Amino acid sequence: GESVGLHLPTLSVQEGDNSIINCAYSNSASDYFIWYKQESGKGPQFIIDIRSNMDKRQGQRVTVLLNKTVKHLSLQIAATQPGDSAVYFCAEITGTYKYIFGTGTRLKVLA
Amino acid sequence: NAGVTQTPKFRILKIGQSMTLQCTQDMNHNYMYWYRQDPGMGLKLIYYSVGAGITDKGEVPNGYNVSRSTTEDFPLRLELAAPSQTSVYFCASSLRHTYEQYFGPGTRLTVT
């Protein structure tokens, strides 16, 4: 069946280091992908998106990479800061309304 | 702009009780959504709306109802609360033809 999952439930990184959060998806027809950040007690916050016709997209301190061959999505956060501590999850979108959300990876930034 | 607001923040219901979760957005977004988030699970779409007067079922609509009489408001109704509806509920909105959804702060509901 269709699924979006994450390889690591918890990721601990040293402040200042780069973080890489991974996501696997199973639906090759998905044409759009989004990364969200969710802080404790808050709603998800859009970070960055990428369309299926792209391999890479960069934002401010964040980069999303899409490898359609192996159905893999990653979020790279440069120079990780304490404020980056949160749960990160990906979503794949097929068509207009079919969103499949991953369960999330908790990022812990160590001082 | 306040963005997407939800009330209440927390609620405890007894089995069989009813309640309405309120959601309002002030961004003039056409699309609005209701999700539930269970521990260790990804968000699940309950209902969505593409504009005032138009609603449709998502992945897990059983036990819920919605209405969309205005662009700004999208309330979610639970008629007969069940323990399986214990969850955190998020409302979201987006512009037509864009995928970036703006989420509210959530309502934590416990049914006992």
Side-chain angles (χ1 to χ4, degrees), chain B residues 63-83:
Chain B
Y64 308 94
N65 277 300
V66 293
S67 59
R68 184 92 182 272
S69 57
T70 66
T71 298
E72 294 78 19
D73 301 307
F74 191 40
L76 178 71
R77 179 81 176 163
L78 282 71
E79 291 294 346
L80 293 171

Side-chain angles (χ1 to χ4, degrees), chain B residues 9-77:
Chain B
K9 286 187 177 0
F10 305 94
R11 184 71 186 270
I12 298 175
L13 283 181
K14 294 188 185 302
I15 294 171
Q17 286 186 321
S18 301
M19 78 163 294
T20 299
L21 283 67
Q22 301 291 345
C23 174
T24 300
Q25 54 91 10
D26 62 359
M27 298 174 282
N28 201 33
H29 286 172
N30 285 318
Y31 291 6
M32 296 189 74
Y33 314 81
W34 273 106
Y35 294 94
R36 58 178 288 171
Q37 187 177 43
D38 299 323
M41 304 289 288
L43 292 166
K44 299 289 186 184
L45 181 63
I46 305 172
Y47 270 96
Y48 66 93
S49 168
V50 301
I54 306 170
T55 63
D56 209 344
K57 296 178 180 178
E59 187 180 357
V60 290
N62 291 344
Y64 308 94
N65 277 300
V66 293
S67 59
R68 184 92 182 272
S69 57
T70 66
T71 298
E72 294 78 19
D73 301 307
F74 191 40
L76 178 71
R77 179 81 176 163

